[in-house]
């Protein structure tokens, strides 16, 4: 089942998407959305297609991965064995696209700003919604995203470069291998936020309070 | 898939088994086993068939559940949704009976003191080992057991009635429903340890340090 190698790297990028397009209207919004429903509604209407960093402060943001049911045990086990990069917020069973526990009323097929479709490890498409790609055997995994603790970092006086610049956070593929599970394996992918040395301890204190969205840094230096 | 209802209740009892038999030699051992390998070896040789409460202090003890692969996603999801009663210590994929991460060299088919075999929700047998029942499609789930924190409770000056009496801990089926997942549902089962009122706070402090083996009490009163 080698073709699926690399799916993890994909999943990290799926829900928060890549840098916004130039046609993006979100940057021109006078008041950025603060409520999750409001944010999802903008995305669903196609009015926001940029990464969601900085929006809906105080609410959990997640990455999104859809896996066919026959591989879903392997991926769930991959998450269980790698709780730091893959902390599960909710798993929606095949046949539904509504995460009733954490975001009732939402639709996972339309409410993320951008999706990447992979088939057998190959990128097939990058689209704004996946209604046409939806299969009834897809299991949805909502994995805690570090965007969640950014509001707390800012409140603690730590400025975030990518938020100031309106870009996506920097991401790096590390040399640390995740613990494999069935068809899934791959290196750990991390986000990187430059923090002034005198504020590093405070940043560790703040992020360590959020273990379900990756928590404290894997590496400082 | 209603026939599987109740599997959770079974799993809680599987690895730590029920009250020891009268032919049990463990009670006459001059020195109770303190090392996990030693304890497992006694069990494997059939020289110990009682619950393992009080043995190998300081080491994690687990409950054991074996589930056919086609139901293993549902059960893994059940554990993910119910981390308090079902904290996963290790999952061994189909085709192996050795938990290489937590107990390398052990054999899950022979190293628990007693097993209950259920088929379609019906108790079919209670045996000392399951070599004859083993199927290559069985996935093994090691779920943290509260026996783990008993040594810490005793060190904190809290006597445990069932350890003093050499019996199994009391267990109760509560009116609290676990969060269902696929084929699995059922009420929360708890262990109960009577603790003098003036030591309850200390007992909560001690047990809350062990979230991966159920942690602090669900109910006090």
């Amino acid at each position: 089942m080698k073709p699926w190698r690399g799916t993890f790297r994909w999943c990290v990028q799926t829900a928060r998407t890549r840098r916004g397009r130039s046609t993006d209207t979100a940057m021109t919004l006078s008041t950025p959305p603060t409520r999750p429903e409001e944010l999802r509604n903008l995305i669903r209407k196609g009015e926001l297609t940029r990464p969601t960093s900085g929006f809906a402060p105080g609410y959990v943001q997640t990455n999104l991965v859809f896996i066919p049911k026959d591989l879903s045990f392997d991926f769930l086990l991959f998450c269980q064995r790698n709780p730091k990069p893959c902390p599960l917020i909710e798993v929606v069973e095949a046949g539904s696209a509504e995460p009733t526990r954490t975001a009732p009323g939402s639709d996972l097929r339309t409410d993320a700003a951008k999706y990447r479709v992979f088939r057998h490890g190959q990128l097939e498409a990058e689209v704004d919604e996946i209604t046409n790609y939806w299969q009834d055997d897809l299991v949805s995994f909502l994995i805690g995203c570090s965007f969640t603790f950014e509001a707390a970092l800012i409140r603690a006086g730590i400025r975030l470069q990518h938020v100031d610049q309106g870009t996506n956070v920097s991401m790096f593929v590390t040399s640390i291998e995740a613990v494999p599970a069935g068809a899934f394996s791959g290196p750990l992918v991390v986000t990187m936020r430059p923090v002034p040395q005198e504020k590093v301890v405070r940043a560790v204190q703040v992020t360590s309070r959020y273990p379900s969205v990756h928590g404290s840094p894997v590496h400082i230096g």
Side-chain angles (χ1 to χ4, degrees), chain A residues 182-204:
Chain A
F184 296 94
S185 63
L188 178 70
V189 177
V190 296
T191 54
M192 189 282 291
R193 292 166 181 81
V195 171
Q197 192 164 2
E198 72 275 12
K199 291 183 175 171
V200 167
V201 171
R202 192 80 190 102
V204 172

Side-chain angles (χ1 to χ4, degrees), chain A residues 134-179:
Chain A
W134 186 253
Q135 301 164 194
D136 275 341
D137 71 337
L138 287 176
V139 179
S140 310
F141 296 79
L142 284 71
I143 295 173
C145 170
S146 59
F147 287 175
T148 308
F149 56 55
E150 291 187 335
L153 283 171
I154 292 168
R155 270 203 314 277
I158 297 163
R159 289 188 72 149
L160 298 174
Q161 208 175 51
H162 69 287
V163 173
D164 288 347
Q165 297 176 354
T167 60
N168 202 357
V169 68
S170 299
M171 282 179 260
F172 292 90
V173 180
T174 71
S175 57
I176 303 169
E177 279 295 308
V179 184

Side-chain angles (χ1 to χ4, degrees), chain A residues 67-79 141 181 184:
Chain A
I67 303 276
K69 189 163 171 49
D70 60 347
L71 283 167
S72 61
F73 171 77
D74 287 358
F75 191 72
L76 184 52
L77 186 56
F78 184 80
C79 295
F141 296 79
F184 296 94

Side-chain angles (χ1 to χ4, degrees), chain A residues 115-118 122-127 133:
Chain A
Y115 301 79
R116 289 182 147 189
V117 181
F118 281 69
Q122 299 300 313
L123 178 63
E124 192 178 287
E126 186 168 306
V127 290
Y133 291 95

